[in-house]
Amino acid sequence: MDNRYWPLVVVVVMLALGLTLTVADFKRAATMRKPLTVALICQSLLLPALCLAIAEAFDLEPHLAVGLMLMAATPGGTMSSILSHLFNGDLALNLTLTAINAVLSIVALPAILAVSMTWFLGQGRFLPLQVDKFFTVFGLVLIPIAIGVAFRHRFPGLAQRLQKPVRIVALVLLVVAVLGAVAGGRRTLWQHFGVLSGAVVAFCAVSLTVGYLAPRFMRLAPRQAVAVSLEVGMHNAVVAMGVALSPQLLNSAEMAMPPAVYSAVAPLLAVTFVFLARRVDPAFRAVARADAPAAA
């Protein structure tokens, strides 16, 4: 795929995300202050700091390190809600977090990107993300999400019917994105495959773990912990690759490598993690015993 079309890819994916959200999802945030606060602290502060530490620990090549940080800055998507539904997570919380994270990413994505580029590429000097690129990222995230939410609010029935075909288009774009990213940066991928894979797996595992343990530490219910874990742990690889490959933005095949690897391993790791959490956390067994008589 010609790199000139990558901004369109980001627009389609964010539009697909917007079509899954409603005004009620944002209103519900007012009734979920504690879980939202925990999730947003993990997503906005703790996770980028841990991602930076992982990039340093694995001594990633600077462009690969920025690509990994780009993953930490991107919002989640529909996959977290699908997995939350399958594993009996708090789906309402997932939808609310997706809505809030989508809005948060409008500022967080370009800000985290600017900090990571300065840290890894600045060589001791401040290297800001140019103002035009900042607002390009801002627009690519905000406008399609706003259109999707407004369209669903105005035409709810049509929006729900469009969700499946738009989701299929987004999935096809994900496959094309991964293949295009691997083809464009295959030399970098093979040279750094071992350390890059290790860093991506570590980042994904840490994201899921922090997203689960933080709400459990704050005494939130297991179902809410699952929702927060999946929302914090599942990131939108297509958006990350679109930002990395777009000529108007980073135009870097190397920075697209971490999202490409992430897209292949994250769903499997997320399913494995939630399955293990349900087996290990005593609170899940207590909930299962409490539900047993009702089921009988």
Side-chain angles (χ1 to χ4, degrees):
M1 178 184 287
D2 192 315
N3 282 1
R4 290 174 298 176
Y5 296 105
W6 280 109
L8 178 61
V9 173
V10 178
V11 167
V12 171
V13 173
M14 300 313 291
L15 177 62
L17 174 60
L19 286 173
T20 68
L21 304 175
T22 66
V23 175
D25 294 328
F26 293 94
K27 291 180 178 178
R28 195 162 46 232
T31 67
M32 296 183 171
R33 294 179 182 178
K34 186 175 180 180
L36 277 176
T37 300
V38 173
L40 294 179
I41 289 175
C42 290
Q43 178 76 33
S44 305
L45 301 175
L46 190 56
L47 189 58
L50 290 172
C51 183
L52 189 148
I54 289 170
E56 290 285 7
F58 280 86
D59 195 25
L60 286 180
E61 188 272 335
H63 290 83
L64 295 179
V66 173
L68 190 66
M69 291 293 295
L70 184 57
M71 281 306 311
T74 54
T78 56
M79 180 59 71
S80 63
S81 297
I82 292 171
L83 292 179
S84 184
H85 176 68
L86 291 176
F87 284 100
N88 196 33
D90 189 331
L91 187 57
L93 177 58
N94 259 113
L95 293 172
T96 305
L97 288 174
T98 297
I100 300 301
N101 275 333
V103 174
L104 183 67
S105 67
I106 296 168
V107 175
L109 201 160
I112 292 174
L113 186 56
V115 171
S116 61
M117 289 179 68
T118 298
W119 185 278
F120 292 107
L121 300 173
Q123 297 178 338
R125 60 188 177 86
F126 181 62
L127 187 66
L129 188 66
Q130 291 91 334
V131 173
D132 59 334
K133 292 185 178 182
F134 182 97
F135 283 105
T136 300
V137 175
F138 188 95
L140 285 176
V141 175
L142 172 63
I143 294 174
I145 287 179
I147 291 173
V149 173
F151 189 88
R152 179 163 179 176
H153 181 70
R154 182 67 179 84
F155 308 103
L158 179 58
Q160 288 185 319
R161 291 195 295 272
L162 285 175
Q163 282 183 27
K164 185 175 181 179
V166 173
R167 190 178 297 162
I168 292 173
V169 171
L171 180 60
V172 171
L173 290 175
L174 171 61
V175 175
V176 173
V178 173
L179 294 177
V182 170
R186 57 186 178 275
R187 177 177 296 180
T188 300
L189 179 62
W190 301 133
Q191 285 179 346
H192 303 276
F193 183 77
V195 67
L196 177 58
S197 299
V200 169
V201 169
F203 166 69
C204 190
V206 166
S207 301
L208 291 164
T209 303
V210 168
Y212 188 83
L213 293 182
R216 293 297 291 127
F217 180 76
M218 297 297 293
R219 301 185 182 280
L220 296 182
R223 292 182 68 241
Q224 291 183 320
V226 168
V228 174
S229 176
L230 290 172
E231 191 63 37
V232 171
M234 298 294 292
H235 299 267
N236 205 316
V238 178
V239 172
M241 283 185 278
V243 173
L245 292 171
S246 297
Q248 299 90 335
L249 296 171
L250 301 180
N251 197 25
S252 171
E254 290 83 3
M255 291 182 187
M257 288 298 97
V261 175
Y262 177 91
S263 67
V265 303
L268 179 60
L269 284 175
V271 170
T272 303
F273 177 86
V274 177
F275 179 80
L276 291 175
R278 290 172 62 88
R279 297 291 183 186
V280 173
D281 190 342
F284 268 110
R285 293 195 292 272
V287 171
R289 286 194 298 268
D291 290 344

